Amino acid sequence: MKNKTPLLLLALISSPALAHSDASGSGFMSGVTHPIFGLDHLLAMLSIGILSAQLGGRSIWQLPTTFVLVMVIGGVLGMLQVPMLPIELGIALSVLVLGAGIALDRNLSSRLAIAFAALFAVFHGYAHGLEMPSMASPASYIAGFIIGTTAIHIIGVFIGVFSTQCNTRRKALRGLGASIMFSGVYFLAGA
C-alpha cells in the first residue's frame, strides 16, 4: 500500500480537470503540457499505456495508437466547438473505466479495450481542442498534444511491461489500477 499512497493522496487533494484551468500558453508547449498537468488526463493516458502492456501482443501499439488518432478527431471537434456530451463526465468515466481495466488484469478483451480507448479519446481530444489558446497555431498545438499524450502512453507501457514480469509487481499494478479507478470515482463526483 505504501507505493500507492502518494497517488491516492494526490487524487484526493487535487481538483478534477486540472488540465482545464489554464490554457494561457500558446501553441506547441501548451499542447504538450495540457495532458501532463491535469491529473485526470495524466491518469487516463498512463492507464492506456499500462492496459496495453497488460493485454500484450498487438494491443501494446493498437490501444495507444487508436487513442491518439481518435483524440485528434476529438480535438478538431473541440476547436470547431461542435456540441458534445458533458466533457468532464466522459473524462472522469475514462479514468474510472481504464483504472478498472488495469485492476482486472487481462480479463478485458482487446477489442473492448480499443472501443473504450476510442470513445474516451473523443472526450480527451475535445477538451484539448476546446481549450486551445486563441493565439495558438492549431497545427503546432495539435502536434504538442499528440507528443505529450504519446509520451505519457509510452511511460505507461514501460510501467506495465516492468510490472507484468513478476507476480508481486503484477499485484501492485492491479492495486494501482484500483487506485486509478477510485480517482475516477472522485473525478466523477466533481463532474
Side-chain angles (χ1 to χ4, degrees):
M1 183 66 178
K2 288 183 181 179
N3 294 353
K4 294 175 267 182
T5 303
L7 179 63
L8 189 56
L9 289 175
L10 185 59
L12 292 175
I13 61 172
S14 64
S15 61
L18 293 174
H20 311 267
S21 59
D22 180 27
S24 61
S26 64
F28 180 79
M29 286 311 296
S30 183
V32 168
T33 59
H34 189 101
I36 294 171
F37 291 123
L39 185 60
D40 51 354
H41 286 293
L42 181 64
L43 290 176
M45 303 309 130
L46 281 173
S47 295
I48 289 288
I50 293 168
L51 188 57
S52 71
Q54 281 182 311
L55 294 171
R58 294 189 313 193
S59 294
I60 289 178
W61 63 268
Q62 286 177 333
L63 200 60
T65 302
T66 298
F67 190 96
V68 170
L69 293 175
V70 176
M71 181 186 68
V72 171
I73 294 167
V76 171
L77 294 174
M79 283 187 249
L80 297 174
Q81 297 185 6
V82 172
M84 178 79 157
L85 296 171
I87 305 163
E88 299 304 329
L89 178 63
I91 291 171
L93 282 172
S94 74
V95 175
L96 188 151
V97 170
L98 293 169
I102 294 168
L104 290 173
D105 188 20
R106 293 191 186 254
N107 291 329
L108 186 67
S109 79
S110 293
R111 288 183 182 173
L112 186 59
I114 288 171
F116 277 127
L119 173 67
F120 296 140
V122 173
F123 290 99
H124 286 272
Y126 193 93
H128 285 294
L130 188 63
E131 296 180 358
M132 181 178 77
S134 59
M135 67 193 119
S137 157
S140 63
Y141 182 78
I142 290 170
F145 78 69
I146 288 171
I147 289 171
T149 297
T150 301
I152 297 168
H153 287 329
I154 291 169
I155 291 167
V157 168
F158 282 121
I159 291 169
V161 167
F162 174 77
S163 298
T164 56
Q165 293 178 353
C166 97
N167 204 28
T168 306
R169 288 183 286 202
R170 188 176 211 110
K171 287 179 183 177
L173 190 62
R174 291 181 75 182
L176 175 62
S179 295
I180 292 170
M181 181 182 71
F182 288 120
S183 297
V185 170
Y186 173 75
F187 296 142
L188 199 54

